[in-house]
DNA sequence: CCGTCGTCTTGACAACTGTCAAGGGTTTTC
DNA sequence: GAAAACCCTTGACAGTTGTCAAGACGACGG
């Protein structure tokens, strides 16, 4: 019986207290498997990454996936949501610590090209999942959810920038996100193609564009 | 032997002249199969559309694909390139006929939401292929090529708009394309999710944004 | 009327997929 | 220390995939 999954789902919400709960180890393993899967998924993409390949690149065998996850869809949703939930918090420090508009732009642009350089595989996986969500109903919900997170993130950055500049954003967050996301995606495509200077261009572009996203002071 | 493909490839470039050449029928069939495949691909996406399913939705059997195309990759590249090559010419009439900036914006926005409404499946297929190109080397070339077409298209639209307004674009075509593409993609996601008012919002957005894409007159 | 060429169908192939049942160790519990 | 629970591996399943060879069918030219 698949008591492990059902049981853990029940236990997990109860959040047992005193001793080293078994749910801890379960969640830990689940996270480890998710991390490992994330690497393979980022390398091969949603369609090409089979459960066997994912398991091969981990310390487990291929059958274990169904012990910790309901099915492939469940695993992928878990992985992407896990990654993206920390991803959207990347600029919180910059937002909190910046005291001038220029400082915020610099910090934002720096971290943007940093993640573009270091985590390109994760980003292309996200775009893969979001695109697949247009064909697969089961991915729709999580894609919409994460897209909402990202929109809020961009909204926070531009909102804080406007605040520091003593003004307000010139466009709704959804539009700002669409613009930033489009440019980021183009940069990601450029990175994947091995084009030179992509990171520097995006860095400069952010500096040039952010001031135009708020109403003149 | 696969003489059909090899022979046609050789014939195709020679472009035989006088009589009703067999290459005509060959190309005609190839186009018909491509059209049919395009419908299935737009419905299911790159990964889920099997050659059997594609053939099922056509008047042919599944084996015929390898008579007209080298392999699945060849078929998909042919289809997408074929569709996109007419797609990027969609606004040429508007560009040529408009006599005022406002007229051009209106025509551009109209056609944009028209294709978003009527050909959503084709657009999500394109985004699918472009995203897959980040995982699959064999798709890279065609994705880069088509992305170039689209960038030029946006460049032509904004360039003509600036001309009619007596000024010049404020940003390079690559940036303009990134912005427009990002917003278009968000709208496409919205349409796919069945969100209301997406088309109207994009229409208004184009009207609001295009003037900001040229240097003030 | 025979043979040839172009066109298309059928059937098979090997490989790969997600899924899951059966069972072996290992740990925990009483 | 026996019994139960937990964790994980192995092996198999049914289905699907891209690919291609063998051959049928019809048209056309001799």
């Amino acid at each position: 019986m698949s008591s492990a999954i059902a049981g853990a789902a029940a236990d997990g919400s109860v959040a047992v207290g005193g001793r080293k709960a078994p749910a801890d180890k379960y969640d830990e393993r689940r996270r480890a498997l998710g991390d490992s899967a994330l690497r393979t998924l980022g390398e091969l993409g949603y369609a090409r990454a089979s459960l066997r390949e994912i398991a091969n690149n981990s310390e487990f065998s291929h059958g274990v996936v169904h012990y910790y996850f309901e099915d492939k869809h469940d695993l992928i949703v878990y992985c992407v949501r896990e990654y993206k939930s920390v991803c959207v918090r990347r600029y919180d420090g910059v937002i909190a610590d910046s005291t001038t508009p220029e400082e915020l732009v610099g910090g934002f642009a720096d971290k943007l090209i940093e993640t573009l350089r270091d985590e390109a595989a994760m980003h292309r996986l996200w775009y893969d999942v979001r695109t697949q969500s247009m064909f697969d109903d089961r991915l729709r919900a999580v894609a919409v959810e994460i897209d909402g997170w990202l929109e809020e993130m961009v909204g926070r950055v531009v909102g804080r920038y406007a605040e520091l500049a003593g003004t307000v954003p010139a466009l709704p967050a959804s539009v700002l996100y669409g613009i930033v996301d489009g440019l980021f995606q183009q940069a990601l495509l450029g990175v994947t193609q091995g084009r030179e200077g992509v990171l520097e261009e995006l860095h400069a572009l952010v500096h040039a564009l952010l001031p135009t996203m708020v109403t003149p002071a």
Side-chain angles (χ1 to χ4, degrees), chain A residues 2-205:
Chain A
S2 61
S3 62
I5 292 171
D11 289 5
S13 53
V14 177
V16 330
R19 51 138 179 240
K20 185 85 80 41
D24 277 6
K25 185 154 196 175
Y26 180 86
D27 283 353
E28 192 181 312
R29 290 291 201 189
R30 199 172 141 98
R31 193 179 310 267
L33 219 179
D35 270 10
S36 186
L38 212 39
R39 254 174 291 134
T40 306
L41 282 166
E43 211 55 47
L44 300 178
Y46 178 97
R48 256 173 287 272
S50 71
L51 294 182
R52 279 172 176 81
E53 191 64 29
I54 288 173
N56 267 358
N57 295 2
S58 80
E59 48 178 345
F60 306 106
S61 69
H62 74 271
V64 87
V65 175
H66 285 84
Y67 185 77
Y68 288 102
F69 297 94
E70 216 171 319
D71 53 12
K72 186 184 182 182
H73 173 265
D74 190 28
L75 168 65
I76 271 129
V77 166
Y78 173 85
C79 290
V80 174
R81 192 199 241 106
E82 199 75 3
Y83 171 72
K84 274 294 169 183
S85 69
V86 330
C87 188
V88 295
R89 289 287 147 196
R90 178 171 291 124
Y91 310 102
D92 283 4
V94 175
I95 292 173
D97 298 343
S98 294
T99 56
T100 68
E102 292 75 22
E103 194 182 345
L104 190 142
V105 173
F108 179 53
D110 285 348
K111 281 212 168 302
L112 207 59
I113 68 169
E114 179 188 313
T115 187
L116 194 53
R117 173 170 25 87
D118 299 339
E119 303 183 279
M122 294 297 100
H123 291 296
R124 67 185 180 186
L125 172 61
W126 156 241
Y127 285 118
D128 192 9
V129 169
R130 192 177 71 174
T131 303
Q132 293 313 309
S133 82
M134 292 195 285
F135 298 101
D136 186 352
D137 293 343
R138 307 178 63 199
L139 286 175
R140 193 112 4 143
V142 72
V144 171
E145 182 186 15
I146 294 177
D147 234 20
W149 294 350
L150 290 166
E151 178 180 318
E152 289 169 13
M153 180 190 79
V154 171
R156 283 197 300 273
V157 171
V158 180
R160 178 63 178 152
Y161 176 84
E163 196 179 357
L164 289 173
T167 175
V168 293
L171 293 162
S174 60
V175 176
L176 295 175
Y177 171 54
I179 292 173
V180 172
D181 188 60
L183 295 169
F184 186 80
Q185 206 172 340
Q186 281 296 318
L188 178 62
L189 283 163
V191 167
T192 308
Q193 294 156 19
R195 281 214 329 255
E196 304 273 325
V198 176
L199 298 177
E200 293 77 7
E201 285 171 28
L202 182 62
H203 196 273
L205 198 53

